[in-house]
Amino acid sequence: MIDIIPSGASLGAQVRGLDLGKPLDAAMRDTLLTAWHRHQVLVFRDQDLDDDALIAFTGAIGEVQMAPDSDVTAGFGGFADVSPAITTISNIVKDGRKIGALGHAEADWHTDMSYLDTPPSASILYAIQVPASGGNTAFCDMYAAYKALDDDMKARITGRRAIHDFTYTSAGVLRVGHKEITDVRDTPGARHPLVRTHPDTGRKCLYLGRRINGYILDLPVAESEALLDLLWAAATRPEFVWEHTWQRGDVVMWDNRCVMHHRDAFDPAETRLMHRTQIRGDGHS
Ligand code: OGA
Ligand code: MN
């Protein structure tokens, strides 16, 4: 039997008593999915996984989505050789080359790969090396954010779509081959509804993805900017946020459809190494 211990905040729970390196039976998969749909972010501590085991666990939950290539994740090419299913998140530089994305600086609030038409439903992040302090990851509850909007705001955004920028990474790095955007109406990236209905829970949530170069279609730019600023402030209110402090061996699985995340900076003299997998989304919105 496993224990599921809610964080006590708006979202997040820890799952105790499960070795993710062992095969998952159908009943346990159902239990985990039910807990994940309810808590949006699940934390599993003290895991000992190699890449094959991380990918096998991911594949037992859903369909593994390949990692974006390194030009996309970090704005430059040439990451260390890892499985094409693995996204390396690290500040380590080996032989003059970065081995992963995001570096040591703060990563802005975002949801993964929302610049795609079909972003991954889940990201699963495994901590291999963590700094002594810093580099915490905060998550915010986009169901709660939607629910707290007043009726007038809900009416203003219902049926509207926004552009999710492709030109910048969530660490603020311009991707290879892209120019700075001077008019947000021309931002390359996917168009997603601001309000989406979660395909598994049927609950409505706000879907913002990333703020930089965002644009709500068909609005004057100034009105789009003002509305986006209001929505972003509403989504990241402290009462909707829960922060995870990493230990080596942690696996955190979050739902990109109804959660955004933000990473703190950490001391660049320290090393942090995480391997991430993704589960394919269904494009439903
Ligand atoms: C990610 C990400 C945050 C972190 O893997 O998608 O944003 O804590 N990582 O490294
Ligand atoms: Mn991310």
Side-chain angles (χ1 to χ4, degrees):
M1 278 306 289
I2 59 166
D3 286 316
I4 295 164
I5 299 136
S7 69
S10 190
L11 74 173
Q14 192 188 140
V15 180
R16 288 199 193 145
L18 193 62
D19 177 353
L20 300 184
K22 299 221 172 96
L24 207 61
D25 65 31
M28 186 59 77
R29 176 182 185 270
D30 282 353
T31 302
L32 291 183
L33 281 174
T34 301
W36 185 57
H37 290 145
R38 171 145 176 221
H39 299 290
Q40 301 158 258
V41 184
L42 296 181
V43 176
F44 307 84
R45 301 213 107 143
D46 301 317
Q47 302 296 318
D48 184 10
L49 306 174
D50 58 19
D51 284 346
D52 288 344
L54 179 60
I55 293 164
F57 168 66
T58 306
I61 296 287
E63 185 190 341
V64 175
Q65 175 165 350
M66 292 300 118
D69 72 32
S70 50
D71 281 352
V72 169
T73 49
F76 53 84
F79 284 167
D81 293 333
V82 288
S83 159
I86 300 278
T87 309
T88 304
I89 306 289
S90 187
N91 65 323
I92 296 172
V93 177
K94 219 189 218 158
D95 304 325
R97 290 167 89 95
K98 299 176 187 184
I99 68 157
L102 296 187
H104 71 275
E106 178 183 355
D108 295 334
W109 283 107
H110 67 281
T111 189
D112 289 334
M113 297 159 73
S114 69
Y115 48 79
L116 300 178
D117 288 339
T118 306
S121 56
S123 295
I124 301 176
L125 190 60
Y126 174 52
I128 300 167
Q129 282 180 55
V130 297
S133 65
N136 292 354
T137 307
F139 298 90
C140 72
D141 178 350
M142 300 298 274
Y143 292 126
Y146 175 76
K147 201 170 161 202
L149 298 175
D150 63 31
D151 289 345
D152 176 56
M153 181 59 94
K154 284 179 182 156
R156 277 178 80 188
I157 63 174
T158 296
R160 293 225 171 253
R161 298 170 84 83
I163 305 182
H164 291 233
D165 174 62
F166 180 68
T167 59
Y168 277 92
T169 73
S170 44
V173 177
L174 199 60
R175 302 185 200 276
V176 164
H178 286 269
K179 302 194 298 279
E180 277 185 35
I181 300 299
T182 51
D183 184 337
V184 290
R185 290 170 296 191
D186 300 331
T187 298
R191 275 82 170 135
H192 296 292
L194 283 169
V195 179
R196 59 189 285 182
T197 303
H198 192 291
D200 299 318
T201 65
R203 297 175 63 199
K204 283 187 177 172
C205 53
L206 200 53
Y207 190 68
L208 298 179
R210 50 208 62 238
R211 176 65 185 88
I212 193 166
N213 296 332
Y215 171 63
I216 303 175
L217 297 176
D218 305 324
L219 289 185
V221 171
E223 193 179 334
S224 163
E225 290 291 327
L227 188 49
L228 283 174
D229 285 345
L230 282 176
L231 293 171
W232 276 86
T236 55
R237 274 161 52 178
E239 60 267 43
F240 303 147
V241 172
W242 166 71
E243 185 170 292
H244 179 63
T245 303
W246 291 91
Q247 292 174 9
R248 177 198 166 100
D250 285 351
V251 170
V252 178
M253 170 172 158
W254 64 81
D255 190 330
N256 284 307
R257 299 164 293 189
C258 57
V259 173
M260 295 198 297
H261 54 284
H262 167 281
R263 191 197 67 196
D264 291 334
F266 56 96
D267 181 349
E270 298 231 43
T271 52
R272 188 175 187 272
L273 173 63
M274 328 284 269
H275 278 184
R276 191 188 81 192
T277 53
Q278 304 73 219
I279 294 178
R280 189 175 295 287
D282 59 8
H284 178 100
S285 48

mmCIF file with all atom_site columns, all heavy atoms in Angstrom, residues 89 102 110 112 125 135 137 170 246 254 261 263 272 274 276, ligand 1:
data_model
loop_
_atom_site.group_PDB
_atom_site.id
_atom_site.type_symbol
_atom_site.label_atom_id
_atom_site.label_alt_id
_atom_site.label_comp_id
_atom_site.label_asym_id
_atom_site.label_entity_id
_atom_site.label_seq_id
_atom_site.pdbx_PDB_ins_code
_atom_site.Cartn_x
_atom_site.Cartn_y
_atom_site.Cartn_z
_atom_site.occupancy
_atom_site.B_iso_or_equiv
_atom_site.pdbx_formal_charge
_atom_site.auth_seq_id
_atom_site.auth_comp_id
_atom_site.auth_asym_id
_atom_site.auth_atom_id
_atom_site.pdbx_PDB_model_num
ATOM   1   N N   . ILE A 1 89  ? 18.132 19.120 -17.758 1.00 0.00 ? 89  ILE A N   1
ATOM   2   C CA  . ILE A 1 89  ? 18.014 20.451 -17.157 1.00 0.00 ? 89  ILE A CA  1
ATOM   3   C C   . ILE A 1 89  ? 19.224 20.586 -16.238 1.00 0.00 ? 89  ILE A C   1
ATOM   4   O O   . ILE A 1 89  ? 19.329 19.864 -15.235 1.00 0.00 ? 89  ILE A O   1
ATOM   5   C CB  . ILE A 1 89  ? 16.710 20.572 -16.312 1.00 0.00 ? 89  ILE A CB  1
ATOM   6   C CG1 . ILE A 1 89  ? 15.462 20.186 -17.122 1.00 0.00 ? 89  ILE A CG1 1
ATOM   7   C CG2 . ILE A 1 89  ? 16.598 21.954 -15.692 1.00 0.00 ? 89  ILE A CG2 1
ATOM   8   C CD1 . ILE A 1 89  ? 15.056 21.162 -18.192 1.00 0.00 ? 89  ILE A CD1 1
ATOM   9   N N   . LEU A 1 102 ? 18.411 25.684 -19.091 1.00 0.00 ? 102 LEU A N   1
ATOM   10  C CA  . LEU A 1 102 ? 17.971 26.540 -17.972 1.00 0.00 ? 102 LEU A CA  1
ATOM   11  C C   . LEU A 1 102 ? 19.081 27.114 -17.097 1.00 0.00 ? 102 LEU A C   1
ATOM   12  O O   . LEU A 1 102 ? 18.820 28.044 -16.333 1.00 0.00 ? 102 LEU A O   1
ATOM   13  C CB  . LEU A 1 102 ? 16.914 25.858 -17.080 1.00 0.00 ? 102 LEU A CB  1
ATOM   14  C CG  . LEU A 1 102 ? 15.565 25.520 -17.739 1.00 0.00 ? 102 LEU A CG  1
ATOM   15  C CD1 . LEU A 1 102 ? 14.584 25.014 -16.673 1.00 0.00 ? 102 LEU A CD1 1
ATOM   16  C CD2 . LEU A 1 102 ? 14.958 26.707 -18.463 1.00 0.00 ? 102 LEU A CD2 1
ATOM   17  N N   . HIS A 1 110 ? 6.012  29.290 -16.285 1.00 0.00 ? 110 HIS A N   1
ATOM   18  C CA  . HIS A 1 110 ? 5.648  28.774 -17.617 1.00 0.00 ? 110 HIS A CA  1
ATOM   19  C C   . HIS A 1 110 ? 5.023  27.393 -17.459 1.00 0.00 ? 110 HIS A C   1
ATOM   20  O O   . HIS A 1 110 ? 5.071  26.795 -16.385 1.00 0.00 ? 110 HIS A O   1
ATOM   21  C CB  . HIS A 1 110 ? 6.885  28.665 -18.524 1.00 0.00 ? 110 HIS A CB  1
ATOM   22  C CG  . HIS A 1 110 ? 7.855  27.620 -18.058 1.00 0.00 ? 110 HIS A CG  1
ATOM   23  N ND1 . HIS A 1 110 ? 8.731  27.828 -17.020 1.00 0.00 ? 110 HIS A ND1 1
ATOM   24  C CD2 . HIS A 1 110 ? 8.072  26.338 -18.458 1.00 0.00 ? 110 HIS A CD2 1
ATOM   25  C CE1 . HIS A 1 110 ? 9.444  26.739 -16.809 1.00 0.00 ? 110 HIS A CE1 1
ATOM   26  N NE2 . HIS A 1 110 ? 9.060  25.801 -17.669 1.00 0.00 ? 110 HIS A NE2 1
ATOM   27  N N   . ASP A 1 112 ? 5.236  23.642 -19.733 1.00 0.00 ? 112 ASP A N   1
ATOM   28  C CA  . ASP A 1 112 ? 6.207  23.137 -20.694 1.00 0.00 ? 112 ASP A CA  1
ATOM   29  C C   . ASP A 1 112 ? 5.670  23.017 -22.121 1.00 0.00 ? 112 ASP A C   1
ATOM   30  O O   . ASP A 1 112 ? 4.584  22.483 -22.352 1.00 0.00 ? 112 ASP A O   1
ATOM   31  C CB  . ASP A 1 112 ? 6.754  21.780 -20.226 1.00 0.00 ? 112 ASP A CB  1
ATOM   32  C CG  . ASP A 1 112 ? 7.671  21.962 -19.026 1.00 0.00 ? 112 ASP A CG  1
ATOM   33  O OD1 . ASP A 1 112 ? 8.259  23.045 -18.882 1.00 0.00 ? 112 ASP A OD1 1
ATOM   34  O OD2 . ASP A 1 112 ? 7.774  21.008 -18.231 1.00 0.00 ? 112 ASP A OD2 1
ATOM   35  N N   . LEU A 1 125 ? 10.169 15.103 -13.678 1.00 0.00 ? 125 LEU A N   1
ATOM   36  C CA  . LEU A 1 125 ? 11.518 15.630 -13.481 1.00 0.00 ? 125 LEU A CA  1
ATOM   37  C C   . LEU A 1 125 ? 12.189 14.880 -12.337 1.00 0.00 ? 125 LEU A C   1
ATOM   38  O O   . LEU A 1 125 ? 11.641 14.793 -11.234 1.00 0.00 ? 125 LEU A O   1
ATOM   39  C CB  . LEU A 1 125 ? 11.423 17.135 -13.179 1.00 0.00 ? 125 LEU A CB  1
ATOM   40  C CG  . LEU A 1 125 ? 12.709 17.953 -13.157 1.00 0.00 ? 125 LEU A CG  1
ATOM   41  C CD1 . LEU A 1 125 ? 13.435 17.913 -14.515 1.00 0.00 ? 125 LEU A CD1 1
ATOM   42  C CD2 . LEU A 1 125 ? 12.405 19.424 -12.805 1.00 0.00 ? 125 LEU A CD2 1
ATOM   43  N N   . GLY A 1 135 ? 17.249 26.936 -6.124  1.00 0.00 ? 135 GLY A N   1
ATOM   44  C CA  . GLY A 1 135 ? 16.764 26.059 -7.188  1.00 0.00 ? 135 GLY A CA  1
ATOM   45  C C   . GLY A 1 135 ? 15.455 25.364 -6.846  1.00 0.00 ? 135 GLY A C   1
ATOM   46  O O   . GLY A 1 135 ? 15.125 24.328 -7.430  1.00 0.00 ? 135 GLY A O   1
ATOM   47  N N   . THR A 1 137 ? 11.452 24.707 -6.924  1.00 0.00 ? 137 THR A N   1
ATOM   48  C CA  . THR A 1 137 ? 10.494 24.847 -8.018  1.00 0.00 ? 137 THR A CA  1
ATOM   49  C C   . THR A 1 137 ? 9.110  25.053 -7.426  1.00 0.00 ? 137 THR A C   1
ATOM   50  O O   . THR A 1 137 ? 8.650  24.251 -6.601  1.00 0.00 ? 137 THR A O   1
ATOM   51  C CB  . THR A 1 137 ? 10.520 23.600 -8.913  1.00 0.00 ? 137 THR A CB  1
ATOM   52  O OG1 . THR A 1 137 ? 11.874 23.374 -9.315  1.00 0.00 ? 137 THR A OG1 1
ATOM   53  C CG2 . THR A 1 137 ? 9.666  23.789 -10.156 1.00 0.00 ? 137 THR A CG2 1
ATOM   54  N N   . SER A 1 170 ? 12.262 29.457 -21.280 1.00 0.00 ? 170 SER A N   1
ATOM   55  C CA  . SER A 1 170 ? 11.754 29.968 -20.008 1.00 0.00 ? 170 SER A CA  1
ATOM   56  C C   . SER A 1 170 ? 12.872 30.547 -19.151 1.00 0.00 ? 170 SER A C   1
ATOM   57  O O   . SER A 1 170 ? 12.618 31.177 -18.133 1.00 0.00 ? 170 SER A O   1
ATOM   58  C CB  . SER A 1 170 ? 10.973 28.890 -19.262 1.00 0.00 ? 170 SER A CB  1
ATOM   59  O OG  . SER A 1 170 ? 11.651 27.680 -19.315 1.00 0.00 ? 170 SER A OG  1
ATOM   60  N N   . TRP A 1 246 ? 13.988 20.617 -3.405  1.00 0.00 ? 246 TRP A N   1
ATOM   61  C CA  . TRP A 1 246 ? 14.469 19.354 -3.969  1.00 0.00 ? 246 TRP A CA  1
ATOM   62  C C   . TRP A 1 246 ? 15.455 18.630 -3.075  1.00 0.00 ? 246 TRP A C   1
ATOM   63  O O   . TRP A 1 246 ? 16.310 19.252 -2.452  1.00 0.00 ? 246 TRP A O   1
ATOM   64  C CB  . TRP A 1 246 ? 15.159 19.619 -5.314  1.00 0.00 ? 246 TRP A CB  1
ATOM   65  C CG  . TRP A 1 246 ? 14.236 20.052 -6.390  1.00 0.00 ? 246 TRP A CG  1
ATOM   66  C CD1 . TRP A 1 246 ? 13.899 21.346 -6.715  1.00 0.00 ? 246 TRP A CD1 1
ATOM   67  C CD2 . TRP A 1 246 ? 13.509 19.213 -7.290  1.00 0.00 ? 246 TRP A CD2 1
ATOM   68  N NE1 . TRP A 1 246 ? 13.015 21.347 -7.774  1.00 0.00 ? 246 TRP A NE1 1
ATOM   69  C CE2 . TRP A 1 246 ? 12.767 20.058 -8.144  1.00 0.00 ? 246 TRP A CE2 1
ATOM   70  C CE3 . TRP A 1 246 ? 13.427 17.827 -7.470  1.00 0.00 ? 246 TRP A CE3 1
ATOM   71  C CZ2 . TRP A 1 246 ? 11.949 19.565 -9.164  1.00 0.00 ? 246 TRP A CZ2 1
ATOM   72  C CZ3 . TRP A 1 246 ? 12.606 17.335 -8.482  1.00 0.00 ? 246 TRP A CZ3 1
ATOM   73  C CH2 . TRP A 1 246 ? 11.877 18.195 -9.313  1.00 0.00 ? 246 TRP A CH2 1
ATOM   74  N N   . TRP A 1 254 ? 4.245  16.681 -12.891 1.00 0.00 ? 254 TRP A N   1
ATOM   75  C CA  . TRP A 1 254 ? 3.221  17.728 -12.879 1.00 0.00 ? 254 TRP A CA  1
ATOM   76  C C   . TRP A 1 254 ? 2.394  17.711 -14.148 1.00 0.00 ? 254 TRP A C   1
ATOM   77  O O   . TRP A 1 254 ? 2.808  17.185 -15.175 1.00 0.00 ? 254 TRP A O   1
ATOM   78  C CB  . TRP A 1 254 ? 3.835  19.110 -12.640 1.00 0.00 ? 254 TRP A CB  1
ATOM   79  C CG  . TRP A 1 254 ? 4.767  19.630 -13.696 1.00 0.00 ? 254 TRP A CG  1
ATOM   80  C CD1 . TRP A 1 254 ? 4.430  20.235 -14.867 1.00 0.00 ? 254 TRP A CD1 1
ATOM   81  C CD2 . TRP A 1 254 ? 6.208  19.628 -13.648 1.00 0.00 ? 254 TRP A CD2 1
ATOM   82  N NE1 . TRP A 1 254 ? 5.567  20.606 -15.549 1.00 0.00 ? 254 TRP A NE1 1
ATOM   83  C CE2 . TRP A 1 254 ? 6.669  20.258 -14.831 1.00 0.00 ? 254 TRP A CE2 1
ATOM   84  C CE3 . TRP A 1 254 ? 7.160  19.171 -12.722 1.00 0.00 ? 254 TRP A CE3 1
ATOM   85  C CZ2 . TRP A 1 254 ? 8.022  20.433 -15.119 1.00 0.00 ? 254 TRP A CZ2 1
ATOM   86  C CZ3 . TRP A 1 254 ? 8.510  19.343 -13.007 1.00 0.00 ? 254 TRP A CZ3 1
ATOM   87  C CH2 . TRP A 1 254 ? 8.924  19.963 -14.186 1.00 0.00 ? 254 TRP A CH2 1
ATOM   88  N N   . HIS A 1 261 ? 4.855  26.360 -13.614 1.00 0.00 ? 261 HIS A N   1
ATOM   89  C CA  . HIS A 1 261 ? 5.956  26.222 -12.663 1.00 0.00 ? 261 HIS A CA  1
ATOM   90  C C   . HIS A 1 261 ? 6.995  27.308 -12.870 1.00 0.00 ? 261 HIS A C   1
ATOM   91  O O   . HIS A 1 261 ? 7.073  27.935 -13.929 1.00 0.00 ? 261 HIS A O   1
ATOM   92  C CB  . HIS A 1 261 ? 6.560  24.813 -12.703 1.00 0.00 ? 261 HIS A CB  1
ATOM   93  C CG  . HIS A 1 261 ? 7.002  24.346 -14.052 1.00 0.00 ? 261 HIS A CG  1
ATOM   94  N ND1 . HIS A 1 261 ? 6.129  23.915 -15.029 1.00 0.00 ? 261 HIS A ND1 1
ATOM   95  C CD2 . HIS A 1 261 ? 8.242  24.240 -14.597 1.00 0.00 ? 261 HIS A CD2 1
ATOM   96  C CE1 . HIS A 1 261 ? 6.809  23.557 -16.101 1.00 0.00 ? 261 HIS A CE1 1
ATOM   97  N NE2 . HIS A 1 261 ? 8.084  23.757 -15.876 1.00 0.00 ? 261 HIS A NE2 1
ATOM   98  N N   . ARG A 1 263 ? 11.153 28.263 -11.460 1.00 0.00 ? 263 ARG A N   1
ATOM   99  C CA  . ARG A 1 263 ? 12.320 27.811 -10.699 1.00 0.00 ? 263 ARG A CA  1
ATOM   100 C C   . ARG A 1 263 ? 13.140 28.981 -10.207 1.00 0.00 ? 263 ARG A C   1
ATOM   101 O O   . ARG A 1 263 ? 13.451 29.901 -10.964 1.00 0.00 ? 263 ARG A O   1
ATOM   102 C CB  . ARG A 1 263 ? 13.213 26.910 -11.551 1.00 0.00 ? 263 ARG A CB  1
ATOM   103 C CG  . ARG A 1 263 ? 14.254 26.236 -10.653 1.00 0.00 ? 263 ARG A CG  1
ATOM   104 C CD  . ARG A 1 263 ? 15.404 25.674 -11.407 1.00 0.00 ? 263 ARG A CD  1
ATOM   105 N NE  . ARG A 1 263 ? 16.198 26.731 -12.015 1.00 0.00 ? 263 ARG A NE  1
ATOM   106 C CZ  . ARG A 1 263 ? 17.082 26.510 -12.971 1.00 0.00 ? 263 ARG A CZ  1
ATOM   107 N NH1 . ARG A 1 263 ? 17.239 25.295 -13.446 1.00 0.00 ? 263 ARG A NH1 1
ATOM   108 N NH2 . ARG A 1 263 ? 17.787 27.498 -13.469 1.00 0.00 ? 263 ARG A NH2 1
ATOM   109 N N   . ARG A 1 272 ? 23.616 21.403 -10.482 1.00 0.00 ? 272 ARG A N   1
ATOM   110 C CA  . ARG A 1 272 ? 22.249 20.862 -10.404 1.00 0.00 ? 272 ARG A CA  1
ATOM   111 C C   . ARG A 1 272 ? 22.035 20.091 -11.692 1.00 0.00 ? 272 ARG A C   1
ATOM   112 O O   . ARG A 1 272 ? 22.314 20.607 -12.786 1.00 0.00 ? 272 ARG A O   1
ATOM   113 C CB  . ARG A 1 272 ? 21.260 22.018 -10.291 1.00 0.00 ? 272 ARG A CB  1
ATOM   114 C CG  . ARG A 1 272 ? 19.805 21.628 -10.010 1.00 0.00 ? 272 ARG A CG  1
ATOM   115 C CD  . ARG A 1 272 ? 19.045 22.928 -9.812  1.00 0.00 ? 272 ARG A CD  1
ATOM   116 N NE  . ARG A 1 272 ? 17.664 22.804 -9.375  1.00 0.00 ? 272 ARG A NE  1
ATOM   117 C CZ  . ARG A 1 272 ? 16.631 22.676 -10.183 1.00 0.00 ? 272 ARG A CZ  1
ATOM   118 N NH1 . ARG A 1 272 ? 16.815 22.613 -11.487 1.00 0.00 ? 272 ARG A NH1 1
ATOM   119 N NH2 . ARG A 1 272 ? 15.401 22.625 -9.707  1.00 0.00 ? 272 ARG A NH2 1
ATOM   120 N N   . MET A 1 274 ? 19.173 17.484 -13.564 1.00 0.00 ? 274 MET A N   1
ATOM   121 C CA  . MET A 1 274 ? 17.865 16.832 -13.559 1.00 0.00 ? 274 MET A CA  1
ATOM   122 C C   . MET A 1 274 ? 17.645 16.216 -14.941 1.00 0.00 ? 274 MET A C   1
ATOM   123 O O   . MET A 1 274 ? 18.054 16.790 -15.955 1.00 0.00 ? 274 MET A O   1
ATOM   124 C CB  . MET A 1 274 ? 16.729 17.842 -13.329 1.00 0.00 ? 274 MET A CB  1
ATOM   125 C CG  . MET A 1 274 ? 17.053 19.036 -12.458 1.00 0.00 ? 274 MET A CG  1
ATOM   126 S SD  . MET A 1 274 ? 17.114 18.659 -10.713 1.00 0.00 ? 274 MET A SD  1
ATOM   127 C CE  . MET A 1 274 ? 15.442 18.986 -10.241 1.00 0.00 ? 274 MET A CE  1
ATOM   128 N N   . ARG A 1 276 ? 14.492 14.990 -17.391 1.00 0.00 ? 276 ARG A N   1
ATOM   129 C CA  . ARG A 1 276 ? 13.037 15.141 -17.513 1.00 0.00 ? 276 ARG A CA  1
ATOM   130 C C   . ARG A 1 276 ? 12.509 14.299 -18.657 1.00 0.00 ? 276 ARG A C   1
ATOM   131 O O   . ARG A 1 276 ? 13.130 14.205 -19.715 1.00 0.00 ? 276 ARG A O   1
ATOM   132 C CB  . ARG A 1 276 ? 12.697 16.610 -17.786 1.00 0.00 ? 276 ARG A CB  1
ATOM   133 C CG  . ARG A 1 276 ? 11.212 16.922 -17.662 1.00 0.00 ? 276 ARG A CG  1
ATOM   134 C CD  . ARG A 1 276 ? 10.891 18.341 -18.132 1.00 0.00 ? 276 ARG A CD  1
ATOM   135 N NE  . ARG A 1 276 ? 10.793 18.393 -19.590 1.00 0.00 ? 276 ARG A NE  1
ATOM   136 C CZ  . ARG A 1 276 ? 10.752 19.524 -20.302 1.00 0.00 ? 276 ARG A CZ  1
ATOM   137 N NH1 . ARG A 1 276 ? 10.831 20.709 -19.712 1.00 0.00 ? 276 ARG A NH1 1
ATOM   138 N NH2 . ARG A 1 276 ? 10.646 19.475 -21.611 1.00 0.00 ? 276 ARG A NH2 1
HETATM 139 C C1  . OGA B 2 .   ? 11.436 21.926 -16.522 1.00 0.00 ? 1   OGA B C1  1
HETATM 140 C C2  . OGA B 2 .   ? 11.673 23.077 -15.650 1.00 0.00 ? 1   OGA B C2  1
HETATM 141 C C3  . OGA B 2 .   ? 12.410 23.502 -13.432 1.00 0.00 ? 1   OGA B C3  1
HETATM 142 C C4  . OGA B 2 .   ? 13.474 23.011 -12.544 1.00 0.00 ? 1   OGA B C4  1
HETATM 143 O O1  . OGA B 2 .   ? 12.100 20.915 -16.351 1.00 0.00 ? 1   OGA B O1  1
HETATM 144 O O2  . OGA B 2 .   ? 10.542 22.011 -17.361 1.00 0.00 ? 1   OGA B O2  1
HETATM 145 O O3  . OGA B 2 .   ? 11.125 24.133 -15.843 1.00 0.00 ? 1   OGA B O3  1
HETATM 146 O O4  . OGA B 2 .   ? 13.265 23.001 -11.349 1.00 0.00 ? 1   OGA B O4  1
HETATM 147 N N1  . OGA B 2 .   ? 12.467 22.816 -14.633 1.00 0.00 ? 1   OGA B N1  1
HETATM 148 O O5  . OGA B 2 .   ? 14.540 22.652 -13.043 1.00 0.00 ? 1   OGA B O5  1
#
